[in-house]
């Protein structure tokens, strides 16, 4: 069902401050930024091998990343695993009793479709599954 780690999401206060660290000091390939209005975040993607990290900066006070930063500070926010068919993966998880936050996919960056599993189902690790956009 899951094919690989697509990306690791990292909550940051400021993309402007964080991007140069990953791009210039760690030498990752900066792919650009995108605002995902539905999730009230601005996202930067940095590619490393076949995976990416996704830096998440909140764009509003009621963004989920704003409350994450207030509670935990900057750091790893979620793991994202790739699936070929997100509808099939969600149906399978519903059937096998995996608790979900999103029962239907929503839109992520790069036209992807994403859904979050419930952290109670994953030992406290917020887990996203995503189907790449076309
Ligand atoms: Co993500």
């Amino acid at each position: 069902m899951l094919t690989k780690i697509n990306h690791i999401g990292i909550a940051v206060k400021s993309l402007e401050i964080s991007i140069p660290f990953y791009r210039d000091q760690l030498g990752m390939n900066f792919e650009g930024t995108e605002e995902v209005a539905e999730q009230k975040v601005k996202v930067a993607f940095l590619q490393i091998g076949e995976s990416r990290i996704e830096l998440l900066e909140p764009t509003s006070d009621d963004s989920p990343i704003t409350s994450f930063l207030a509670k935990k500070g900057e750091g790893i926010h979620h793991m994202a695993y790739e699936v070929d068919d997100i509808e099939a993966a969600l149906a399978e998880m519903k059937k096998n009793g995996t608790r979900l936050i999103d029962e239907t996919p929503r839109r992520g960056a790069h036209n992807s479709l994403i859904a979050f599993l419930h952290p109670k189902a994953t030992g406290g690790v917020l887990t996203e599954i995503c189907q790449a956009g076309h």
Side-chain angles (χ1 to χ4, degrees):
M1 199 166 36
L2 310 178
T3 57
K4 65 176 181 185
I5 293 173
N6 180 280
H7 63 267
I8 296 169
I10 299 175
V12 301
K13 290 181 191 149
S14 159
L15 291 182
E16 204 186 325
I17 290 169
S18 295
I19 289 169
F21 170 70
Y22 289 98
R23 183 190 57 204
D24 305 332
Q25 290 177 247
L26 299 189
M28 290 185 190
N29 180 31
F30 173 63
E31 295 183 315
T33 61
E34 180 179 337
E35 186 160 342
V36 184
E38 196 181 326
Q39 295 181 67
K40 298 175 177 154
V41 289
K42 208 158 84 182
V43 181
F45 284 98
L46 294 113
Q47 183 234 343
I48 169 83
E50 66 168 14
S51 298
R52 290 179 171 73
I53 62 165
E54 173 186 87
L55 304 177
L56 303 149
E57 178 196 287
T59 54
S60 116
D61 285 347
D62 61 346
S63 166
I65 299 300
T66 303
S67 46
F68 180 90
L69 288 169
K71 265 186 254 163
K72 302 196 173 172
E74 292 183 305
I76 293 182
H77 178 259
H78 66 272
M79 292 284 305
Y81 300 101
E82 191 165 317
V83 295
D84 291 329
D85 181 342
I86 196 167
E87 300 275 5
L90 287 172
E92 177 66 27
M93 287 177 181
K94 254 184 267 182
K95 213 167 67 183
N96 71 25
T98 305
R99 283 177 71 184
L100 304 170
I101 294 177
D102 300 309
E103 303 231 328
T104 53
R106 46 178 152 149
R107 193 153 299 283
H110 294 328
N111 255 338
S112 60
L113 292 171
I114 67 172
F116 283 96
L117 312 190
H118 200 285
K120 289 237 163 78
T122 58
V125 180
L126 183 59
T127 301
E128 171 189 334
I129 58 172
C130 68
Q131 177 186 324
H134 298 289

